[in-house]
Structures are given as C-alpha cells and as structure tokens.
Amino acid sequence: MYIEEYKRWLQTDLEDADLKPELSRIDGNDEEIKDRFAVALKFGTAGLRGVLGAGTNRMNIYVVRQATQGLANWVKTQGGTQTVAVSYDSRIKSDVFAKETAGVLAANGINVRIYDALMPVPALSFATRYYNCNAGVMITASHNPAKYNGYKAYGPDGCQMTDDAAAVVYDEIQKTDILTGAKYMSFASGVEKGLIRFCSDDCKEAFYKAIEDRQVRPGLCKDAGLKLVYSPLNGSGLVPVTHVLNDIGISDITIVHEQEYPNGYFTTCSYPNPEIFEALKSGLELAEKEGADLMLATDPDADRVGIAMKCPDGSYELVTGNEMGALLLDYICAGRIEKGTMPKNPIAVKSLVSTPLADAIADHYGVEMRNVLTGFKWIGDQILQLENNKEEDRFIFGFEESYGYLAGTYVRDKDAVIASMLICEMASYYRSIGSSIKQRLEEIYAQYGRYYNKTDSVEFPGLTGMDKMAGIMSELRENPLKEIGGIEVVKAVDYKDTASTGLPSANVLSYTLADGANVIIRPSGTEPKIKAYYTTKGKDLEEAKAQKEKLASALKPIFE
C-alpha cells in the first residue's frame, strides 16, 4: 500500500516545489519510502507534530490541508461565530502552513482571524477567546529540533482541544483524501472575500494589558534597576516579551544578538529548548560579560521560559522548572497576601509529575493545590470548571515541571510572556530588599526540606519505537514493581484506573517508596520517549542526588 501511495505522490503535480526532489531522491529505497508513507501523522489533543518533508508521515502542506479540512468539518457542526484564530512561530514553513490553514478554512466558509506576524502560543489562545472563536490553530513544534514542525488545535475556551473533539476531527481527517480531499482557496482570495482578516491591534493590546494586570507588586520594577539578558531563541517571544517588560519599567535588556530574530534553522542551538544547557549557553556567556542579574530564554513558540540566576559569587546557576514553579508560587502567595489581593479560597494547579515542594508551599499559605494529569490542557480544564461556577478568580497560578507557567485566566495554555514578567518582577523585588532569587530558593529549601527532582528520558526511535514503549508499560503493569533499588514500594498508582484516581485515564504509573521518594513513569505524548520523573529528599543536595542515582540505576534495565 505505501508503495502505491508513494507513486501517487510522485505522479501528482505537487504545489510545493520542495517535495518533488525529495520523492525522486528516495525512488527505489524501500526503507525511506516506508518511513514516509507506511503510516500517517496521528492527530490527537496535541494536534500534529512531525519532521518536515514529503509523505503522509511528514509535515507538509497536504498534511496541513487534510488536518484543517477535518477541523473545518467539526467547526461547521458547532454553531457559534464560525471563526477560527490562527497563529504561527518562526519555524521553517510555519508562515506557509498558517496561510494554508487559513485557505482551507475560508474555502469551507469559515471566518479566520490570523496574526499579521509571528506570535506565540498564548497570543493564539487569547485571540481564540477574544474573538469568541470555535477553535484556534497554532503552527509550531514547540521546542523540537529545526527539522520538525507541527499543528496545535485549540477549542473555543482557548485550551488545547478536548479528547472528544480531537476524536471527531481525527475521524473527519480519515475521510479526507490527503492530496485531493480538502477544499482550498488561496490566502489572497480569502482576504478579498472578507473571510480572512488579521487580528487587530486592539486584540494585541488587550493581550498585553491582561498580562500586565497580573503584576503582583505594580510599579516595583521601575526603580529596581534590574539588569537582564534575554534570548528569544530565534522564536516568537522577542516582540511580546520586550513589549511587556518595557511597559512595567524594565528597560536594561540586552538581547542575545545571534538568537534575536526569527530563524527556523536555530543555527546556534540545535535543540531550542530552554530546559537544556546548550540552548542557554550563548545567553549565559553574554550574562557573564554584562554582569546581568538574570538571564532568561523563551522557546520558539514562547510558551516555556528558562532562566539562569546570578549567585553571590558572580556565577550563574540554571533554575529548574520545578524550582521556578515553587519560587513563583511562593512569590505570588506572599505578595498577594501582603497587597491584600489574594482571593478567598485560592487555588493553584500543577501536573502530578511536578514537585511536591509546591504542595508544601501551597499548604503553608492556605492555598488549595490541585494535581492534574500531564499536559497544560488539564490545568486549563481546572480553570474552565472554576469559570463555569463563576469562580475563576480563585485561580492564582498553574505550572508544570517542563518550564510552563500561567498566572491568570485570560489564556488557557502556558505563557512565557507572563512568566517572564513575573520572574523579572520577582528578581526586582528580591533585589530591592537586598536579597536574590538564589537566596530565596535556599530559604525555601531550609524551610520545607531539600527536595531534588530529576527527569530522565529514554528515546525509542524508528517505526518500532512506539511498540517497544507500549511493551515496557505493559510489562510494568503485568509484573508490578515491589521495590526499586532495594527500597520497598509502599504505594503504586496506575492512572489508567480512573476509579482510584478520580482523573481521566492516562498511561502513567506512580511509585511511592518507603523512604518518601517517588518515581513516575510515562510515555511522552509528543515524542518517542519514555520519561521517568524522580523526586527524592535528603538532608542536603548531595544526599538527595545520590538517592536519585540509586533509583535510576535500578530502573535502567527495564528501559533497555
């Protein structure tokens, strides 16, 4: 079958000139043809994500059109404004895919609101809500390497699409021939017919205002003298992040020059993920040269942010997503109590794989902490439930350990723009009282205990990768772990069992050990990886790290 599909593509007059040479180049190479055509990219709640190129298992204009036709078929059953918001980041062909998306929607009689330049994930979520859209589409592959692109689909609340809606869209995609099944008109035609319109300046200004309204200590930054080095990692964060920071009074911003402007090849960091050192290396070097108080980097679609904080000896230390989640929660709680802006019965939300240190902090401040499945849509779902009860003001903060944060209900996905603002405000505040982020973090550890959180990922590439991952999870269920590294498992939770967890079914296994350590194992939802999340606690960092290494060594044979 895949050979026939390959030949069909080869014989079709393809509109994207980049695809034909690639198809010709693999002629006769069964392995390469199979890799591109034996399967199709699967549309789920995270949309699509794949390597750029020709074929059903690649990201190209035909896969985008097919997915959009499926989305359009769903939108047409939804009533409402019959409008979809579209945005895109700096990745290769992101602007092309965004216009293709708009063209298919317009051809189906659906109104489109598209940004006139690249804008990040939170701006797409905001526009979806601002224009009362039925759906939103963000063209991005988040922090994946340059060869990837993707297609994120959002529901009317600005949150990533629900399982039920995604299943309908997937069914509609299956009915749509990839090369001929999608209705399509050119972007120019859609504009001429009034079906495609750009997001207004009013929308952008409302987005910025919604963020700036969430300052904890308004006006503080103007006189704090914070010195910042910032890298947008060649992505979409440059304009919105600097706009907001300038508005709140942070003007001493040095941009990492080689990572300043959009560049989908990410030539200075092959993996533009602010979770990893290599992506922050150029920024760290510049921070040391400039003597900055803080170095900050946002990923290409500006929904995640990573930082390096200055230490008393002048060196810089990376802050993990768990540590920043704990720091921001602590800062927001203390600041809002001080300012009298803490709501009654406040709620914070985090993913269940994120640090239990945040639970301890929430408890200290009298905040209810809700733990949800991995994926920011579940944090968005908690906000929706509050909104339905007219209690959305109770939500003060949400985060996940993979560097995603949100304060406020104006969007329903993680937002590196507001996170950047709050991190800079927090740094300014501690600087103004003769302290620092580093000092406050040490105080938190002294108060609550020395937690250590580490995530290990094991990759399973190729067509057999997913099968191997499934086999590992099945084996763990059929032969439950009784101990890890000689330490007894005192509690095991299978998140597929909704009756015991009260949460939607998820392919996640959690183990609590006799010494208080915790291990969570789950396959990634977007990449061919199994992730193991370790939480250990010791009298100091060295003891906690040693305990983690002991557990990881014990589990290593399972993943081989």
Side-chain angles (χ1 to χ4, degrees):
M1 280 291 289
Y2 62 87
I3 293 292
E4 284 75 14
E5 184 66 6
Y6 163 68
K7 287 178 179 175
R8 187 166 79 104
W9 280 58
L10 195 60
Q11 291 158 10
T12 299
D13 185 18
L14 300 176
E15 294 171 55
D16 186 337
D18 292 338
L19 302 182
K20 191 67 82 172
E22 182 183 338
L23 291 169
S24 300
R25 193 168 60 248
I26 63 172
D27 194 11
N29 187 333
D30 185 72
E31 190 175 326
E32 290 284 350
I33 294 170
K34 187 175 183 181
D35 186 43
R36 285 166 176 78
F37 290 94
V39 295
L41 289 181
K42 179 81 164 40
F43 186 96
T45 56
L48 301 165
R49 193 177 298 187
V51 174
L52 290 156
T56 56
N57 193 30
R58 293 288 188 270
M59 280 297 296
N60 52 67
I61 63 171
Y62 299 102
V63 167
V64 168
R65 287 180 185 179
Q66 183 190 39
T68 307
Q69 185 62 54
L71 179 68
N73 291 351
W74 174 76
V75 167
K76 285 188 280 191
T77 68
Q78 296 302 298
T81 62
Q82 291 293 288
T83 304
V84 175
V86 179
S87 188
Y88 58 95
D89 67 4
S90 61
R91 288 186 170 272
I92 299 164
K93 293 188 184 290
S94 276
D95 56 340
V96 174
F97 293 163
K99 288 181 176 179
E100 292 289 318
T101 299
V104 172
L105 291 166
N108 280 275
I110 295 167
N111 299 297
V112 177
R113 283 287 190 165
I114 186 170
Y115 282 103
D116 57 0
L118 71 169
M119 284 289 275
V121 156
L124 181 277
S125 179
F126 186 84
T128 303
R129 295 174 60 78
Y130 186 81
Y131 291 112
N132 297 310
C133 295
N134 297 84
V137 174
M138 178 75 196
I139 305 296
T140 179
S142 190
H143 54 277
N144 279 47
K147 66 181 180 179
Y148 285 84
N149 210 329
Y151 182 108
K152 283 185 180 177
Y154 289 75
D157 62 340
C159 196
Q160 282 193 41
M161 189 164 270
T162 63
D163 292 342
D164 290 345
V168 174
V169 172
Y170 179 66
D171 286 344
E172 293 298 327
I173 289 170
Q174 297 295 97
K175 300 173 190 172
T176 305
D177 184 271
I178 190 166
L179 294 179
T180 62
K183 296 178 183 177
Y184 180 72
M185 70 168 62
S186 71
F187 186 82
S189 296
V191 172
E192 285 172 12
K193 292 179 185 297
L195 287 160
I196 299 174
R197 299 169 67 192
F198 290 108
C199 294
S200 65
D201 288 342
D202 288 350
C203 175
K204 295 176 190 173
E205 289 305 319
F207 174 58
Y208 295 139
K209 183 180 185 302
I211 291 168
E212 291 163 21
D213 283 349
R214 301 303 295 186
Q215 292 174 76
V216 177
R217 294 180 169 92
L220 172 88
C221 295
K222 287 182 170 61
D223 303 313
L226 187 77
K227 191 175 179 62
L228 175 70
V229 164
Y230 169 55
S231 171
L233 295 179
N234 301 119
S236 61
L238 177 66
V239 171
V241 169
T242 56
H243 181 109
V244 168
L245 293 183
N246 280 309
D247 276 0
I248 68 167
I250 295 175
S251 55
D252 191 351
I253 306 172
T254 304
I255 310 292
V256 180
H257 178 68
E258 63 270 31
Q259 296 174 342
E260 182 170 3
Y261 296 111
N263 173 6
Y265 295 96
F266 308 116
T267 45
T268 61
C269 55
S270 59
Y271 197 49
N273 182 352
E275 295 180 64
I276 62 173
F277 172 78
E278 289 73 17
L280 275 61
K281 189 169 182 289
S282 295
L284 282 166
E285 290 169 356
L286 184 59
E288 287 171 3
K289 180 183 170 186
E290 296 288 330
D293 298 300
L294 188 65
M295 185 265 151
L296 184 146
T298 53
D299 67 346
D301 59 345
D303 62 355
R304 300 171 194 247
V305 58
I307 78 151
M309 59 186 173
K310 191 175 186 180
C311 299
D313 63 1
S315 66
Y316 290 84
E317 183 180 318
L318 299 186
V319 181
T320 70
N322 276 312
E323 288 174 331
M324 184 49 69
L327 279 160
L328 283 172
L329 177 63
D330 172 72
Y331 176 73
I332 290 167
C333 289
R336 293 192 68 170
I337 289 170
E338 176 196 315
K339 292 291 182 181
T341 57
M342 183 69 99
K344 284 184 179 178
N345 304 315
I347 289 171
V349 189
K350 70 177 180 69
S351 61
L352 61 92
V353 298
S354 300
T355 180
L357 172 57
D359 297 80
I361 292 169
D363 185 61
H364 172 77
Y365 287 108
V367 173
E368 179 189 343
M369 175 61 79
R370 295 182 178 178
N371 287 277
V372 296
L373 297 176
T374 306
F376 220 87
K377 68 176 181 177
W378 298 113
I379 296 175
D381 181 62
Q382 288 293 317
I383 301 173
L384 178 62
Q385 289 179 37
L386 290 169
E387 186 178 53
N388 288 339
N389 293 323
K390 296 186 167 40
E391 295 181 325
E392 62 266 35
D393 288 347
R394 292 176 63 193
F395 174 80
I396 61 165
F397 185 58
F399 84 97
E400 54 187 10
E401 48 72 44
S402 53
Y403 292 59
Y405 317 97
L406 176 64
T409 62
Y410 59 98
V411 297
R412 299 299 159 84
D413 209 338
K414 46 194 178 284
D415 181 2
V417 185
I418 196 168
S420 297
M421 180 190 79
L422 289 172
I423 290 166
C424 289
E425 185 195 310
M426 177 171 65
S428 297
Y429 171 70
Y430 291 134
R431 192 177 191 277
S432 74
I433 61 170
S435 182
S436 65
I437 291 178
K438 171 68 173 174
Q439 185 175 326
R440 182 57 193 155
L441 182 61
E442 292 306 322
E443 289 167 359
I444 286 171
Y445 282 137
Q447 182 174 352
Y448 300 100
R450 191 45 170 104
Y451 287 79
Y452 179 65
N453 302 93
K454 185 74 168 62
T455 304
D456 290 351
S457 295
V458 183
E459 290 198 38
F460 297 88
L463 289 172
T464 61
M466 291 297 185
D467 291 337
K468 187 162 186 184
M469 287 163 58
I472 290 169
M473 297 303 289
S474 293
E475 175 65 22
L476 286 168
R477 287 188 167 93
E478 288 165 15
N479 298 290
L481 297 175
K482 300 284 191 274
E483 53 84 25
I484 303 175
I487 303 165
E488 182 189 359
V489 173
V490 294
K491 183 182 180 184
V493 179
D494 184 349
Y495 283 87
K496 276 199 168 179
D497 180 8
T498 59
S500 63
T501 66
L503 297 171
S505 178
N507 194 8
V508 179
L509 295 167
S510 174
Y511 307 93
T512 303
L513 308 186
D515 64 352
N518 182 255
V519 181
I520 295 175
I521 298 173
R522 63 174 280 270
S524 168
T526 55
E527 300 169 281
K529 293 178 179 178
I530 285 184
K531 295 185 176 184
Y533 303 81
Y534 299 91
T535 297
T536 53
K537 193 176 174 184
K539 65 178 185 292
D540 53 32
L541 179 59
E542 286 67 33
E543 183 177 89
K545 276 186 173 179
Q547 176 68 348
K548 180 265 163 185
E549 291 305 325
K550 180 181 178 183
L551 298 175
S553 295
L555 286 177
K556 189 177 178 183
I558 291 172
F559 302 124
E560 290 177 344

